[in-house]
Amino acid sequence: MKGLRVDIPLKALCCLAALLLSGCGGEAEDAPAPAAAISKGPVDPSYYSGEVTFKIAEPLPVGGRELPLTLYLGLSPQTETRLAVEAFVDLRPLQEALPEIVAGTVVESCGLGLDLDLGRVEAVGKQVRGRGRVIARLYRCSGRGTEEERRGMRLLSQTIDVVAVATAGLEQDCIVFRLEELELSPRGLIGRVADLFGVTERARVAILDRAAEALANRPICPELPEDVAWLDPRYTDGGPREIVDGGMGAALSGSVDASAGTLVRLVDLARSRGILGGVR
């Protein structure tokens, strides 16, 4: 009988949590509902499997604007005091915005100008690949490092094709992307000249620095609505995942406290919203 007494409250807690989460400004889709109810969506339900599954619209501030991301969650009983959580974030809006976010001047000094143009970003399995180009301009520079420093005539212009591969890991319940590989290929015969002048290597260092800063400053941290943020999911595993054909997403696995105190707090919140009967 012990297993029966534990199992029923945990299943009820899953459903109650789903009801509350779907009512916190999210875009619920028949929540709470079995996984089959939303299996026709664009995200593979196996990434957020659970006895109860639902989704929440979650804006992500990026570059002075908010991107409309969707957080999918699956809840299932795990132990007597924890609920298993499978979370998945649809990052395709961020994927579409990345070329614009990343593009621009990465170096503008007296002797060198580097402009990055990122043309395509796609997920490939558990990696994210970006393709683009760098336009490098080498100038004569007089008085380098002094107050009289002045840029002179252009000595060289070179287009360098770029292929970057990023992966991600879990840090403090957030997905943090890191640049794993960087391939630079100067175009044409003049590319050898660019190598001799050190332009390709300087482009590599500049891109690595820009990528490290941009990726470190944009962790993906799924957050629950404010009213139920105290559920405080603890994630133990996560990383990028491909959605359909090259779409970008991130999956996380972890758990949520399912103690008696949590159940009481959820019940009180449900009553205050009129989801359950009782005193409001």
Side-chain angles (χ1 to χ4, degrees):
M1 294 297 293
K2 180 180 179 181
L4 181 61
R5 287 198 302 270
V6 170
D7 191 39
I8 292 176
L10 287 181
K11 287 186 177 181
L13 184 58
C14 288
C15 294
L16 182 56
L19 277 169
L20 290 167
L21 287 166
S22 64
C24 293
E27 297 177 356
E29 189 168 301
D30 296 327
I38 54 178
S39 62
K40 295 181 181 179
V43 174
D44 185 345
S46 66
Y47 288 145
Y48 55 95
S49 58
E51 292 195 11
V52 176
T53 55
F54 51 98
K55 68 179 183 179
I56 302 170
E58 180 184 359
L60 177 70
V62 175
R65 56 178 168 168
E66 290 190 338
L67 299 177
L69 304 187
T70 302
L71 170 63
Y72 294 83
L73 288 173
L75 297 176
S76 300
Q78 184 180 65
T79 69
E80 293 185 3
T81 58
R82 305 292 295 181
L83 291 178
V85 177
E86 296 294 332
F88 191 89
V89 188
D90 187 344
L91 297 176
R92 283 174 290 187
L94 174 61
Q95 179 180 6
E96 293 176 3
L98 271 176
E100 180 183 343
I101 293 170
V102 174
T105 300
V106 293
V107 172
E108 194 61 66
S109 65
C110 178
L112 181 66
L114 292 175
D115 294 325
L116 175 62
D117 179 16
L118 187 62
R120 183 180 180 185
V121 178
E122 62 180 347
V124 181
K126 295 185 178 182
Q127 294 180 327
V128 176
R129 295 177 180 268
R131 298 177 182 274
R133 62 178 184 170
V134 169
I135 306 299
R137 304 173 307 280
L138 188 66
Y139 299 93
R140 188 183 302 278
C141 180
S142 61
R144 189 186 302 272
T146 69
E147 293 183 358
E148 285 75 34
E149 183 180 85
R150 180 174 298 178
R151 174 182 284 183
M153 65 177 293
R154 182 184 299 184
L155 301 175
L156 174 72
S157 292
Q158 174 64 44
T159 299
I160 304 172
D161 292 321
V162 178
V163 177
V165 178
T167 187
L170 188 67
E171 294 184 11
Q172 298 180 345
D173 295 329
C174 297
I175 295 287
V176 179
F177 287 87
R178 301 184 188 84
L179 191 61
E180 191 174 59
E181 299 176 20
L182 181 62
E183 179 183 330
L184 301 184
S185 304
R187 295 181 186 177
L189 295 176
I190 200 171
R192 295 184 180 181
V193 178
D195 286 341
L196 289 174
F197 278 97
V199 173
T200 305
E201 185 57 31
R202 292 173 73 177
R204 180 185 304 277
V205 172
I207 293 172
L208 288 173
D209 288 344
R210 184 182 181 94
E213 179 181 2
L215 295 176
N217 290 337
R218 292 184 174 88
I220 306 301
C221 307
E223 295 183 0
L224 298 182
E226 185 177 353
D227 284 353
V228 288
W230 49 268
L231 283 170
D232 193 22
R234 297 295 182 179
Y235 298 108
T236 55
D237 188 31
R241 298 288 187 275
E242 181 179 358
I243 307 173
V244 194
D245 298 320
M248 215 169 100
L252 300 100
S253 298
S255 63
V256 170
D257 173 52
S259 64
T262 298
L263 179 57
V264 170
R265 198 165 179 179
L266 285 173
V267 168
D268 286 343
L269 184 57
R271 284 177 175 170
S272 70
R273 292 184 181 172
I275 296 174
L276 296 178
V279 179
R280 297 187 183 181

